[in-house]
Amino acid sequence: EGVRKPGFFEVPALQDCNAGYAIMAGLYDRAGYVELKTAWVIAAAIAFEPYIGIALKSDSRRIIYGGAGTLNLLPDKAVSPFVTIGCGGMYEQPKEEFVRHSRKWFQARAGGGLLVSLRFRASVRFEAANMVLFQEDDYQNVQSYTAGLGTYF
């Protein structure tokens, strides 16, 4: 028990955990993006992940929120690919309210990435996602690329 194993990577704590979180940063529609993602671990390979993020564009601020189901394809390996699919919404507030009004969009999200598990239950997460933002008479296709640190407990 008291002997420490050498190495930088470790098998993820997905087998015996209930929850987790990750703080992510990157690009959303070619704009700066920050996201907080929590996780409710249902099984070692399955999690429900609510998220909230903010993207700062040159002419507006976007708040992105929703939930996604995540499937870890190799939950017992230190480097695990995963896929995710979810839905939510996006609220866009322009910097100049006199130019255009704020808008609310629905969103559908699908993506995937890598979960790299490190020692002491730390993890690094890389994710790419495609989002379809839609209203009753309009839609946009947006990509996000993020990386961040997290843990499971």
Side-chain angles (χ1 to χ4, degrees):
E1 280 287 332
V3 178
R4 291 175 50 148
K5 294 186 278 182
F8 192 64
F9 300 103
E10 189 170 300
V11 175
L14 294 171
Q15 303 293 337
D16 61 349
C17 69
N18 297 316
Y21 68 90
I23 299 171
M24 313 279 289
L27 296 174
Y28 178 91
D29 195 21
R30 296 184 299 256
Y33 182 60
V34 177
E35 181 176 84
L36 175 63
K37 186 176 292 218
T38 59
W40 175 42
V41 180
I42 300 167
I46 302 169
F48 173 69
E49 298 182 334
Y51 57 88
I52 187 165
I54 186 165
L56 300 176
K57 296 185 65 86
S58 62
D59 62 342
S60 66
R61 172 179 35 241
R62 290 181 169 182
I63 298 172
I64 297 98
Y65 54 90
T70 300
L71 177 64
N72 285 306
L73 301 176
L74 298 171
D76 57 343
K77 302 294 181 193
V79 178
S80 173
F82 65 88
V83 293
T84 182
I85 188 167
C87 62
M90 190 269 296
Y91 174 72
E92 184 174 25
Q93 181 181 20
K95 290 185 178 176
E96 298 292 331
E97 293 180 8
F98 300 110
V99 175
R100 62 181 166 116
H101 297 289
S102 60
R103 297 189 295 184
K104 294 181 181 177
W105 300 77
F106 296 106
Q107 87 166 311
R109 175 178 181 153
L114 286 176
L115 179 67
V116 180
S117 298
L118 308 175
R119 298 184 68 167
F120 308 113
R121 291 188 176 237
S123 62
V124 178
R125 184 178 177 128
F126 302 97
E127 185 171 355
N130 185 61
M131 288 166 240
V132 178
L133 305 173
F134 58 94
Q135 293 177 323
E136 56 212 25
D137 59 348
D138 195 12
Y139 75 94
Q140 290 181 16
N141 195 23
V142 183
Q143 288 78 37
S144 72
Y145 305 96
T146 57
L149 296 173
T151 187
Y152 287 96
F153 48 90

